[in-house]
Amino acid sequence: NCGCTNNMNFRTRYSDIIEEIPDQQRDFERFVPAEGDEDASLFIIGEAPGATEVERGRPFVGRGGNILVDALNAAGVTRRSVYITNLVKVRPEDNRDPYRAEIDAWTPLLHAEIQTVSPDVILTLGRIPMNEMIETDARISDIHGERFDEGRYCVLPTFHPAATLYDRSRLDPFRKDITEAVRW
Ligand code: URA
């Protein structure tokens, strides 16, 4: 499955918003749509797709994705029963952090997705989506797993799954946070 069917469905669904995004931020060769259940109560936000995701046209299907999906499965849910998206839908070259302009360009689409899905819990993976969803100066290691009430939903920040590859001590807390987000 190349993910192209889902890609075109997603792009059609949000065409009004995507059309407003500046051309230089809209490289569809590096674009990866969201995936999952639009009625999900759990909405998961990554940073931006990586090379594997672009190749396969699906979010979180590389090494980080396997860690995420294993943790979801261990918590008792499948990846199809949650909603998985990225803050920035186009892969930044060389795996750099997304620029402010890229985040700003893609944020209206994220907000539209949140409106569509209307989740109870938004799980942010890593520092960058966390900082877009809650106002905090805290480090992720100090506030991961806490719930931030944002009115219509709560935000629960955790580590980026790839961070558990660099620092194994983060894997247990990561899995615990996922369980917390699923159970809530
Ligand atoms: N990392 C992310 O943040 N998003 C993906 O889709 C894959 C890896």
Side-chain angles (χ1 to χ4, degrees):
N1 181 347
C2 68
C4 25
T5 313
N6 182 49
N7 193 322
M8 288 321 293
N9 286 346
F10 185 86
R11 279 168 57 182
T12 305
R13 187 179 208 330
Y14 292 106
S15 57
D16 289 2
I17 291 161
I18 293 173
E19 269 166 30
E20 296 295 317
I21 296 174
D23 269 343
Q24 70 267 30
Q25 308 295 355
R26 269 191 324 178
D27 180 352
F28 290 116
E29 299 289 309
R30 293 183 290 130
F31 174 91
V32 175
E35 188 174 285
D37 184 356
E38 288 193 341
D39 293 321
S41 58
L42 178 57
F43 187 106
I44 302 176
I45 310 177
E47 180 180 310
T52 311
E53 285 73 26
V54 170
E55 213 170 277
R56 298 183 51 194
R58 300 178 63 196
F60 282 103
V61 289
R63 282 177 87 191
N66 290 337
I67 295 167
L68 173 64
V69 172
D70 284 349
L72 288 169
N73 292 346
V77 293
T78 62
R79 71 174 276 153
R80 292 171 61 178
S81 70
V82 301
Y83 187 87
I84 302 178
T85 194
N86 281 297
L87 175 62
V88 171
K89 303 291 192 288
V90 164
R91 179 183 179 232
E93 66 278 3
D94 310 324
N95 291 327
R96 61 165 168 74
D97 289 352
Y99 295 137
R100 185 74 250 165
E102 293 169 321
I103 296 173
D104 289 345
W106 289 99
T107 292
L109 176 55
L110 182 71
H111 286 157
E113 294 171 82
I114 293 172
Q115 199 149 29
T116 299
V117 178
S118 185
D120 298 319
V121 183
I122 295 183
L123 179 75
T124 57
L125 304 178
R127 174 180 57 84
I128 293 173
M130 171 181 85
N131 284 334
E132 295 308 306
M133 297 307 295
I134 57 174
E135 219 157 308
T136 181
D137 295 325
R139 294 158 57 97
I140 197 160
S141 45
D142 292 328
I143 60 167
H144 74 91
E146 283 179 30
R147 281 186 220 138
F148 294 81
D149 186 352
E150 294 293 323
R152 275 187 296 233
Y153 50 80
C154 80
V155 174
L156 193 151
T158 192
F159 302 106
H160 193 280
T164 69
L165 292 168
Y166 312 128
D167 181 351
R168 281 303 191 179
S169 73
R170 288 179 174 171
L171 185 56
D172 278 347
F174 173 77
R175 294 173 70 113
K176 217 169 141 230
D177 293 346
I178 299 272
T179 303
E180 178 75 14
V182 165
R183 294 235 176 105
W184 194 70

